[in-house]
């Protein structure tokens, strides 16, 4: 095993990983050779590994630990529900109080008009549900030929067959088995793809690609457009200000359903309850997960507008669902998580205090010779690593992002690499002192990365 891991217990767990565990999104040979870092405990914005190292989790797990680690209220809510009703399904004309209370609560905090919820076990399942529901919706309306869903290149909507198809990740598409009648348009990634255009001009251009694709396919065949308010796994791609108003105009012109994937942006990450609130969008359907339970237990869902729900209720059986749709324990945890977000005014604090402070401190990294752009909103941030700031040229073939990620983990910080873009999404409860620590560690890791690249 790797010499960095000296604890015999760590080595035992790594042997179990090598012999029995196939991890998500992993090069299995590489994982076997190096051995995984074993995370054993979490509290607040920190996690600890089995070697005793304290690590500031700048990614909130996988964008999801909104209220941080160690909140016993969520464990207590799960325990109480397990003792009362550990499981019951929501098939066959049955329901239970936690799922109904959660559905009502979500309708209270969601954008106007999204008053009904189909529960799932994850965001991926939520997008699978969306695909079937949208096509069913148009079939009920007598337009079954409206099947095509438009997504975006480099968008991420999960890794199930439907999720991978809806997303625009080339590495996932290359492994085959995609669902037909799903197409993709360019992403609104000004720094990487805008060339000499101004951000606003590029935002208009990127939005107009939607209209061109609708006309190319035929309005009578396009069912919906799915997009994240801010692309998360694609590299925290924040669209130019001109982008969303133009998209709204196009969708209204052609009566195309709009699906907002809020799995990452939802539950306060932008400083509003949902990214759609921040941008003034009014989705017809909205996928949720992650921050719904702060990741303490798996749960996702699809919020559905009154407009869509009214049609679905005319269509007989919707032959779709999951054993764990609306699981009572998950629902109880989600209710407690939302209570904490509300009563502790965590989202307001992100909007008014810690979000602006994080963005201010991150932008101080622009003076670093390796940093070409810093962008962010609320508790989301991205740092572009470049060789030449003027041309935005990269260190081709050197894996700058992965080098930086390694230095981060070895110096007590989780920061994720998307190509040569470093991204962060810390727990919403991070303090200003902890933000200072995050930025200080990020600068150190940028220094170490630059030394490696120039060495």
């Amino acid at each position: 095993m790797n010499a960095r891991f000296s604890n015999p217990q760590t080595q035992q767990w790594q042997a179990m990983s090598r012999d029995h565990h196939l991890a998500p999104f992993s090069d299995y040979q590489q994982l076997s050779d190096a051995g995984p870092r074993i995370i054993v405990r979490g509290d607040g914005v920190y996690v600890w590994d089995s070697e005793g190292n304290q690590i500031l989790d700048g990614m909130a797990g996988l964008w999801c630990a909104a209220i941080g680690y160690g909140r016993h209220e969520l464990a207590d809510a799960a325990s109480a529900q397990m003792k009362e009703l550990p499981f019951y399904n929501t098939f066959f004309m049955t329901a239970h109080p936690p799922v109904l209370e959660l559905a009502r609560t979500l309708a209270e905090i969601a954008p106007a008009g999204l008053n009904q919820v189909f529960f799932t076990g994850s965001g991926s399942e939520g997008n699978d549900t969306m695909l079937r529901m949208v096509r069913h919706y148009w079939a009920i309306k007598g337009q079954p030929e409206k099947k095509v869903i438009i997504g975006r290149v480099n968008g991420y909507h999960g890794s199930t067959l439907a999720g991978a198809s809806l997303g625009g990740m080339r590495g996932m598409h290359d492994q085959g088995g995609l669902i037909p009648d799903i197409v993709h348009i360019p992403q609104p990634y000004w720094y990487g793809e805008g060339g000499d255009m101004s951000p606003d001009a590029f935002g208009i251009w990127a939005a107009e690609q939607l209209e061109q694709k609708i006309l190319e396919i035929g309005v009578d065949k396009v069912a919906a457009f799915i997009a994240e308010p801010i692309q998360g796994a694609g590299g925290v791609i924040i669209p130019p200000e001109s982008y969303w108003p133009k998209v709204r105009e196009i969708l209204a012109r052609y009566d195309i359903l709009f699906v907002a994937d809020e799995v990452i942006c939802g539950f306060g990450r932008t400083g509003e309850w949902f990214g759609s609130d921040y941008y003034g969008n009014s989705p017809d359907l909205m996928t949720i997960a992650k921050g719904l339970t702060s990741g303490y237990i798996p749960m996702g869902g699809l919020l559905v507008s009154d407009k869509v729900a009214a049609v679905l209720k005319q269509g007989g059986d919707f032959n779709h669902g999951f054993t764990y749709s609306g699981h009572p324990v998950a629902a109880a945890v989600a209710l407690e998580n939302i209570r904490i977000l509300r009563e502790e005014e965590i989202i307001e604090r992100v909007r008014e205090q810690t979000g602006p402070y994080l963005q201010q401190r991150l932008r101080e990294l622009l003076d670093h010779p390796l940093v070409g752009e810093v962008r962010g909103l609320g508790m989301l941030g991205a740092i572009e690593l470049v060789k030449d700031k003027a041309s935005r040229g990269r260190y081709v073939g050197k894996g700058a992002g992965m080098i930086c990620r390694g230095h981060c983990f070895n110096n007590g910080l989780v920061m994720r690499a998307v190509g040569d873009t470093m991204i962060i999404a810390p727990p919403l409860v991070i303090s200003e002192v902890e933000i200072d620590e995050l930025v200080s560690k990020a600068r150190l890791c940028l220094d170490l990365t630059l030394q490696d690249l120039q060495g």
Side-chain angles (χ1 to χ4, degrees), residues 4 26 65 86 100 106 118 226 329 341 386 448:
R4 292 180 303 150
S26 296
L100 300 177
L106 288 169
F118 189 106
I226 182 171
V329 177
L341 287 170
V386 297
L448 295 171

Side-chain angles (χ1 to χ4, degrees), residues 174-194:
D174 287 347
Q175 293 183 348
L178 300 179
I179 293 174
D181 293 322
I182 297 173
V183 300
H184 301 87
I185 60 173
Q187 61 185 335
Y189 180 21
W190 174 78
Y191 186 80
E193 300 174 5

